Amino acid sequence: MPADRPYAPACDENRDAILAVLARHWSAPGTVLEIGAGTGQHALYFATRLRHLRWQATDVAARLPGIAQWLADAPPPTLPAPLALDVTQATWPLARADYAFSANTAHILGWPQLAALFDGLGRVLADGGTFCLYGPFARDGRHTAPSNARFDAALRRQDPAMGVRDTVDLARVAAAAGLDLDTVEPMPRDNLVLVWRRRAAV
């Protein structure tokens, strides 16, 4: 592995558990929009194992070179070059996706950015399309583990705009954009995958 290539150990720790969830929910061929691809490790790992999916990694422009380094290792035809995405932009680089994925972003983004993320998904996700959101979450006003409570406190000390999000609050923001919480998948290390479904247009 090149010394200058970004690396997140957590991606190696959680990837198989996440992959099992994605494989269950995304059995039909389609295009995946990954928001906040980070290092690019997840994009490479998932795309090479879910060959029926076209995996489009995105992140802010500054992260694209690092993502491209990972994708250059074994770029399958279903894994195109990463694209720049600022969720607050009115126009996203991908006009339509069947599925969407994001890992460990909800606690970093502030509420205006989270609202923009769901609003953008409401525009680009196909009717009935699903968004899998991985990370630590609170439920009904309570943390699911002491470790998540400590993590939440540390995030808020670093930046009051950050923090572990409650599924109730997220559901309110998502519903306004046309997405409903469909499934909550328990994951190792007190994390969850929240599976949101895009409401069909009426």
Side-chain angles (χ1 to χ4, degrees):
M1 181 175 72
D4 61 343
R5 182 164 65 177
Y7 174 69
C11 288
D12 288 345
E13 296 166 3
N14 64 32
R15 62 189 186 181
D16 288 314
I18 296 174
L19 177 63
V21 172
L22 300 184
R24 284 201 306 274
H25 287 277
W26 297 348
S27 58
T31 296
V32 179
L33 170 64
E34 182 182 7
I35 301 168
T39 63
Q41 289 167 251
H42 274 158
L44 179 63
Y45 192 77
F46 298 149
T48 53
R49 286 156 179 80
L50 301 171
R51 295 292 187 134
H52 62 293
L53 301 174
R54 181 180 186 273
W55 194 282
Q56 180 62 68
T58 69
D59 210 317
V60 295
R63 291 188 178 273
L64 298 189
I67 297 171
Q69 284 185 287
W70 279 95
L71 304 195
D73 266 5
T78 54
L79 185 56
L83 299 175
L85 171 61
D86 176 345
V87 295
T88 64
Q89 293 176 330
T91 302
W92 284 15
L94 196 66
R96 181 61 60 184
D98 302 287
Y99 312 111
F101 172 74
S102 193
N104 292 320
T105 53
H107 53 270
I108 300 299
L109 297 175
W111 280 108
Q113 290 75 35
L114 280 168
L117 182 151
F118 278 104
D119 186 61
L121 288 173
R123 296 193 306 270
V124 305
L125 264 185
D127 288 353
T130 52
F131 169 42
C132 291
L133 179 62
Y134 169 87
F137 300 98
R139 302 197 70 183
D140 299 316
R142 301 181 64 181
H143 288 291
T144 59
S147 60
N148 285 350
R150 292 192 295 270
F151 183 51
D152 180 53
L155 286 169
R156 294 178 190 276
R157 284 195 300 270
Q158 180 181 345
D159 183 343
M162 298 194 300
V164 174
R165 308 306 180 189
D166 195 298
T167 57
V168 173
D169 298 324
L170 287 172
R172 188 178 304 114
V173 172
L179 284 84
D180 299 314
L181 186 57
D182 184 72
T183 309
V184 176
E185 299 273 7
M187 302 293 286
R189 299 180 182 270
D190 303 309
N191 289 315
L192 302 171
V193 172
L194 308 180
V195 183
W196 310 85
R197 187 171 298 279
R198 176 71 170 89
R199 255 179 264 134
V202 293

